[in-house]
Amino acid sequence: MNPASDRIERKILLKAPRSHVWRVLANAEAFGQWFGVALEGKRFVAGEWTQGQITYPGYEHLLWNVLVERVEPERVFSFRWHPYAVEPDVDYSQEPTTLVKFELQDMDEGTLLTVVESGFDHIPQSRRLKAFRMDSRGWDEQMSNIEEFLKVSEKAREHQGE
């Protein structure tokens, strides 16, 4: 296994308390808002599948389908999925999955969010590199998305006098 090709890691310092970051990570509806998946009425429960229609432009025809692995309040949230499974005619269900793990850590200026997606070395070679590259780009965008979502929700909270 080659760590450089098997895992994607992103870190971002979010200027919000850990409890707020956790809320937008572990609450499926909030997660869907920044991640680009319709998850209204859904919950993340360890050991259960969560599905929702992707709302990201150009990918609305796809179903987001993850197996939630861990939900450790204000610490770790993880799930398994089929990376860059974007061809509607392809059955990815027999392929290995990658593990996406979000970890939270208190910092002086806010909360450090670390996201690691690992297991790419087990993805079929014919699509491994493309999946790695696309998910790598995707995590860059998602880190910006959660940061922006938290800024907007913090402003809304201040406006409501919380």
Side-chain angles (χ1 to χ4, degrees), residues 59-112:
Y59 295 91
E60 299 95 338
H61 62 288
L62 297 173
L63 185 67
W64 187 78
N65 190 25
V66 302
L67 176 59
V68 177
E69 280 218 337
R70 291 169 62 190
V71 182
E72 297 177 20
E74 297 194 19
R75 215 175 76 66
V76 177
F77 171 58
S78 66
F79 58 77
R80 292 194 160 277
W81 69 355
H82 295 284
Y84 199 61
V86 298
E87 297 298 326
D89 306 344
V90 175
D91 176 11
Y92 297 96
S93 65
Q94 299 309 306
E95 284 188 9
T97 56
T98 54
L99 175 65
V100 174
K101 183 162 81 170
F102 298 88
E103 290 186 280
L104 302 180
Q105 182 181 346
D106 288 327
M107 301 296 276
D108 289 341
E109 309 83 29
T111 304
L112 180 65

Side-chain angles (χ1 to χ4, degrees), residues 16 22 32 47 55 67 75 81 105 114 116 121 142:
W22 179 253
T55 59
L67 176 59
R75 215 175 76 66
W81 69 355
Q105 182 181 346
T114 303
V116 175
D121 284 352
Q142 293 297 7

Side-chain angles (χ1 to χ4, degrees), residues 148 150-160:
E148 190 58 34
L150 279 162
K151 283 179 188 172
V152 170
S153 62
E154 287 296 310
K155 284 182 181 155
R157 213 182 322 278
E158 289 170 9
H159 185 70
Q160 293 172 344

